[in-house]
Amino acid sequence: MTDTNEGRIPVAVPGEAIRAGEAEALARSYAEPSVWTERMLTTLVEGVKGGKWYSLMDKVRADATLRAAFARAKSNDGASGVDHVTVAMFESEEDANLRRLGEELRTGEYRPQAIRRVYIPKPGSPEKRPLGIPTVRDRVVQTALKMVLEPIFERDFAAQSHGFRPGRGCKDALRRVDELLKEGAVFVVDADLKSYFDTIPHERLLAQVGQKVSDGKIMKLLGQFLGQGILDGLSAWTPEHGTPQGAVISPLLSNIYLDPLDHLMVREGFEMVRYADDFVVLCRSEAQAARALAAIAEWTAAAGLILHPDKTHLIDARGQSFDFLGYRFEGGRRWPRDKSLGKLKDSLRAKTRRTAGQSLRAIIARLNPTLRGWFVYFQHSHRTTFPDLDGWIRRRLRSLLRRHRGRRGIARGADHQRWTNHFFAEQGLFSLQRAHALAGQSPRG
């Protein structure tokens, strides 16, 4: 039942609230022109007869589509897969490779190769995150498949979904959370799906795709990608659930599977803000938040997913905090969460080791891009964030300069007089505090 008395009803589908001309302009902004002809775009905007799309494989295997797909794969670069073929090696025989892929897709002989699994650091945790690396040829086919399928599903995705979608991103999601908190939606469902990407049921996911796609060859190809073998060191296995993180098609498939949850929240009048599998629901009463959590728990259980029991909470944001997309929200303000600060400091420590043997200017030249990039994302943090970080960075640099003079230990009182804050500013060190002050003076804040 919709809680009409507890706030305005969320927008379900962007296309419902905009005129046809605007919908067409939006479709053009994310539809690959080499794939989506004028006729197809018109059908996309007006709606396909019967609600299902047929005969899509010829679009995937078309030479123009595969060339556009390889151009994207090339721009993303990335490591080689199990066949050790790099992007440069693939490009050296691009025409032949693309012709071969097109023919294999036409005849049905195409078979994805195994995915090479590697492990990357997980910020703030001793654990490592698994990452799947498909071969370049498979990345090209997945990209072509995504180019064909994405507009079909993007058309009807709910407005509160922000992750891995064209023209949307983390900042949009964070802005919406800020807006809702300021409107009084301070009772928060802070939810976590346990190992979401690894637990999506294949049959249910394909059934979800099949609601809009009736091309058997496309469905078979998707099934092959979901069933790709995993090469993990010397062991090899075939997953029965999930979409491999690192695969081009995985973000789209993950959004497709959670789309019914998005629309359920809309129908029930709940304000959810979702970025991939990370989402919060902001409510205007504790009772509404409890109902939202119950609805989410019921849906996830039916969908074969698991709500993490230790990471799913009901929060009163007036006196409690919650984390979302790298930020910690509390009391109407936000700061970088502890893991975000830890990740930044780990990166800066690696660049300011006292045994580095580089000049101060060279070290600052390495620090500044990291600091600028971090500030771009976290500039909306509470102002107390930045002086403390600036001071921490300068202390490390003073200790490094102390070591250059043959002295041991960390910087002390006299070192602060010898190398003042002004000294580091003259050396060109990026100041987070100054950048925040300047951003506050700009018309956009």
Side-chain angles (χ1 to χ4, degrees), residues 15-234:
E16 293 179 355
I18 57 180
R19 291 182 292 274
E22 294 171 329
E24 183 175 352
L26 183 63
R28 289 182 186 278
S29 71
Y30 57 72
E32 170 59 44
S34 64
V35 178
W36 286 86
T37 63
E38 292 294 325
R39 182 178 178 182
M40 290 176 66
L41 280 172
T42 300
T43 302
L44 179 67
V45 173
E46 295 178 353
V48 67
K49 185 177 180 180
K52 290 190 176 185
W53 290 78
Y54 297 82
S55 303
L56 294 174
M57 179 56 84
D58 61 321
K59 310 296 189 301
V60 173
R61 64 178 175 82
D63 182 69
T65 306
L66 292 175
R67 288 192 182 279
F70 175 66
R72 289 194 189 181
K74 179 182 175 183
S75 66
N76 293 330
D77 199 10
S80 60
V82 295
D83 61 359
H84 305 294
V85 175
T86 65
V87 171
M89 292 165 65
F90 189 97
E91 185 181 24
S92 67
E93 297 183 37
E94 179 180 348
D95 290 343
N97 285 329
L98 295 182
R99 278 197 304 271
R100 188 178 304 112
L101 281 179
E103 182 63 16
E104 289 177 357
L105 289 168
R106 186 187 70 80
T107 61
E109 295 177 357
Y110 173 81
R111 296 290 184 275
Q113 295 173 281
I115 291 175
R116 180 167 67 90
R117 172 159 285 189
V118 298
Y119 293 85
I120 59 176
K122 191 174 183 179
S125 171
E127 301 176 2
K128 291 195 173 183
R129 189 189 306 277
L131 181 68
I133 303 179
T135 61
V136 176
R137 69 190 292 274
D138 290 343
R139 297 205 292 268
V140 171
V141 175
Q142 286 192 20
T143 303
L145 186 60
K146 180 173 179 280
M147 286 176 174
V148 172
L149 293 181
E150 184 172 60
I152 294 172
F153 291 91
E154 180 66 30
R155 175 184 182 274
D156 298 320
F157 277 159
Q160 68 265 45
S161 167
H162 298 273
F164 306 113
R165 293 184 59 191
R168 293 167 175 257
C170 290
K171 290 186 178 181
D172 301 299
L174 291 166
R175 190 179 299 114
R176 184 60 182 149
V177 170
D178 271 335
E179 290 172 354
L180 290 167
L181 288 171
K182 290 174 182 176
E183 291 173 7
V186 296
F187 296 92
V188 182
V189 180
D190 182 10
D192 184 273
L193 292 175
K194 188 175 182 180
S195 303
Y196 172 62
F197 282 88
D198 293 330
T199 58
I200 302 174
H202 289 173
E203 288 187 9
R204 295 180 186 179
L205 172 58
L206 289 173
Q208 187 75 17
V209 175
Q211 292 181 12
K212 293 188 178 182
V213 175
S214 285
D215 187 321
K217 292 181 178 180
I218 292 289
M219 299 304 294
K220 178 182 176 182
L221 183 60
L222 281 173
Q224 289 175 331
F225 280 130
L226 291 175
Q228 278 180 280
I230 305 292
L231 184 61
D232 189 348
L234 297 178

